[in-house]
Amino acid sequence: MDRFRGFFIALSLVSAAFPAPAFAWGPDGHHTVGAIADKLIAGSNAATEASAILGGLTLQQAAVWADCAKGVDPTKDYAYTSAGQYPECAIYETPAGEAEMSDFVRRNDTNCARKPTEESCHKQYHYTDVAMQRNRYAAGSTGTRDDDIVAVVAAATHVLNGEPAPLPFSIKDKREALLLLTHYVGDIHQPLHVGAIYLDAQGKPVDPDSTGYDPATDTRGGNQIIIVSANVNYRGQNLHHTWDEIPATMTVSHVDSAWLAQARAVKRSRGALYDWPAIWATETLAQARLAFNGLKFGPKGGTDWTTSLPVSYGSTMSSIKKKQLTKAGARLAQLLHGLWP
Ligand SMILES: [Zn+2]
């Protein structure tokens, strides 16, 4: 299932009025994560190294590249076909920039253990689907893959440390690794990119690790859960999308000294750098549980379920988003400091 395209299908059924594309966190969220990290590493050895590797791009700019690369179409000989559609991608829409995205997608399209119904490998790197009943991320449980968001953050870190990318990833150099890392550290903090709810035909949650995985229960990260009624402005959207969007108060211009102080207070994770993504995913999973808390779901109709959000859901979401964006920015900076002390 193509989450990216799936969103547009769902959207076109309900309304043509929503402006935002389905970029995970949305470009605004990724820009904010990058901006926080840019400010936290400013003046350090990590900032010098990162800037040299990225050819002068900021982390804020780099943070959307992995989503921009989704504009490459494997059925059109890996041509980039989204020019002009996403303003945040404009900096990559040069002949050299498009060739770079095309090359990445060509190497990361069919390299994973991809089933015929599954989307391009690189599009799957952005998430994992751990059942919300689990209390931690553990490789091998339902929804995890050797090419999921946890694995790819570690893989990009290996490349930045001068080691080869573990299979199945193809990350050609440090520049590509850092372009990817700045994005994926954002995604691994988006609750619905890590924690998943699996629902039966009646809309009752099931535990796929107990009952066995049934594709019919897979909500595709909440992309197949449509909000039918709410006192907030989410009607007609899918649940995943409401979590990708961030409020205007959390965009880059609001990254001020108070917010940076919160980011500086985020504790460095324990263990080796390569162990951090699983630790972060476990924390994000707990946030996903909060995201599903109190939600009731209607029976499955076609491919989708329905839900209505509690009145207080908007404020719950905002506080979780702020916390997660802060952690993502802080941890991206911590990882870069760890690589280049
Ligand atoms: Zn993403």
Side-chain angles (χ1 to χ4, degrees):
M1 178 66 188
D2 183 339
R3 288 169 192 232
F4 189 55
R5 204 163 293 133
F7 166 70
F8 284 105
I9 292 163
L11 198 61
S12 62
L13 291 175
V14 290
S15 167
F18 296 109
F23 291 156
W25 268 134
D28 289 340
H30 283 289
H31 279 154
T32 293
V33 170
I36 291 171
D38 275 324
K39 291 193 160 82
L40 292 183
I41 66 169
S44 71
N45 191 29
T48 307
E49 291 282 345
S51 181
I53 288 170
L54 290 172
L57 286 177
T58 62
L59 299 176
Q60 179 184 327
Q61 291 169 318
V64 294
W65 186 84
D67 270 344
C68 294
K70 291 176 178 175
V72 170
D73 186 348
T75 69
K76 299 212 165 65
D77 194 27
Y78 297 96
Y80 179 77
T81 57
S82 297
Q85 289 183 37
Y86 303 111
E88 68 279 7
C89 300
I91 50 169
Y92 302 114
E93 292 171 353
T94 61
E98 292 182 14
E100 186 176 37
M101 292 189 281
S102 174
D103 178 50
F104 167 69
V105 173
R106 195 182 288 275
R107 285 180 283 105
N108 289 274
D109 179 25
T110 58
N111 53 312
C112 59
R114 179 179 160 192
K115 299 189 190 83
T117 54
E118 289 178 351
E119 59 187 345
S120 183
C121 295
H122 75 97
K123 291 186 178 178
Q124 300 192 48
Y125 298 170
H126 296 245
Y127 56 87
T128 191
D129 281 316
V130 180
M132 60 141 188
Q133 292 90 346
R134 302 288 74 73
N135 57 18
R136 68 184 185 96
Y137 176 91
S141 67
T142 300
T144 66
R145 308 180 314 275
D146 66 357
D147 60 342
D148 69 6
I149 183 70
V150 170
V152 79
V153 171
T157 306
H158 276 287
V159 175
L160 288 167
N161 212 12
E163 299 149 25
L167 291 172
F169 302 106
S170 175
I171 303 174
K172 70 173 179 186
D173 57 18
K174 289 188 179 184
R175 174 180 161 89
E176 194 169 84
L178 191 48
L179 287 167
L180 296 173
L181 188 76
T182 55
H183 181 87
Y184 297 139
V185 173
D187 279 351
I188 201 171
H189 287 86
Q190 205 274 42
L192 270 61
H193 274 246
V194 173
I197 193 159
Y198 293 80
L199 300 172
D200 69 12
Q202 282 71 49
K204 203 166 130 290
V206 295
D207 181 351
D209 291 300
S210 304
T211 60
Y213 172 71
D214 174 357
T217 66
D218 196 329
T219 67
R220 314 287 165 194
N223 276 280
Q224 290 176 203
I225 298 174
I226 307 298
I227 300 160
V228 288
S229 65
N231 294 334
V232 283
N233 298 322
Y234 307 110
R235 192 166 305 161
Q237 292 189 14
N238 74 57
L239 188 65
H240 184 97
H241 176 65
T242 65
W243 280 94
D244 276 348
E245 283 193 328
I246 61 164
T249 53
M250 295 179 203
T251 51
V252 165
S253 62
H254 294 86
V255 178
D256 56 13
S257 56
W259 194 346
L260 291 174
Q262 292 174 25
R264 284 196 187 91
V266 173
K267 283 209 185 87
R268 203 179 131 108
S269 304
R270 289 190 212 193
L273 300 189
Y274 308 122
D275 298 330
W276 289 4
I279 295 169
W280 300 342
T282 290
E283 279 188 32
T284 305
L285 181 59
Q287 301 304 308
R289 212 170 294 120
L290 297 176
F292 297 122
N293 189 32
L295 295 190
K296 298 260 186 290
F297 306 93
K300 191 174 188 183
T303 57
D304 297 335
W305 292 263
T306 56
T307 193
S308 60
L309 303 180
V311 176
S312 60
Y313 199 77
S315 63
T316 302
M317 243 190 329
S318 288
S319 68
I320 293 174
K321 285 173 181 175
K322 178 80 184 273
K323 183 168 52 183
Q324 293 302 100
L325 291 169
T326 307
K327 283 187 180 177
R331 286 167 169 171
L332 177 55
Q334 289 165 1
L335 201 43
L336 301 183
H337 280 311
L339 284 163
W340 302 298

